[in-house]
Amino acid sequence: MNSPESGRVGPQSQAEIEDENRRIRRLQIMMNMVMSVISQDPSLTIEQASELVANTKRAALAMFPDKEFAYDIIYKPRLQRLMRDRFRLH
């Protein structure tokens, strides 16, 4: 993203925009797959689901290293809600 946080000041090239869009789409697909597995696999244990969530965060931050805050406000609440609902946590 072209923002003050990224350290960039000039406009992004078309290749950079396409790369970022590709990474965003990969992240969305990964999150959808993880959420589907957590919600639909009856044999999944809470430990396995927690490991999936942790691995998902690591993968997201590998794709977008400086975007932990964005992950925490976009995906973390969804995953927490899903874990609460799936495993009846309070």
Side-chain angles (χ1 to χ4, degrees), residues 67-80:
K67 300 298 180 188
E68 187 168 1
F69 179 73
Y71 177 90
D72 287 345
I73 63 171
I74 296 170
Y75 291 112
K76 186 176 180 180
R78 294 179 192 176
L79 291 166
Q80 287 175 330

Side-chain angles (χ1 to χ4, degrees), residues 3-80:
S3 67
E5 289 177 21
S6 69
R8 299 233 356 182
V9 262
Q12 289 180 307
S13 71
Q14 187 61 33
E16 290 171 322
I17 293 169
E18 289 171 4
D19 176 61
E20 184 175 47
N21 288 339
R22 214 175 356 266
R23 288 183 292 131
I24 289 169
R25 184 68 187 132
R26 284 184 184 146
L27 177 61
Q28 290 171 335
I29 291 168
M30 177 182 68
M31 294 304 297
N32 287 339
M33 289 173 56
V34 166
M35 293 178 80
S36 290
V37 168
I38 292 172
S39 64
Q40 296 176 17
D41 185 350
S43 67
L44 191 70
T45 67
I46 191 169
E47 292 82 12
Q48 291 168 325
S50 296
E51 190 173 334
L52 272 175
V53 169
N55 289 339
T56 299
K57 182 173 184 175
R58 276 193 290 278
L61 294 179
M63 286 188 260
F64 298 97
D66 298 327
K67 300 298 180 188
E68 187 168 1
F69 179 73
Y71 177 90
D72 287 345
I73 63 171
I74 296 170
Y75 291 112
K76 186 176 180 180
R78 294 179 192 176
L79 291 166
Q80 287 175 330

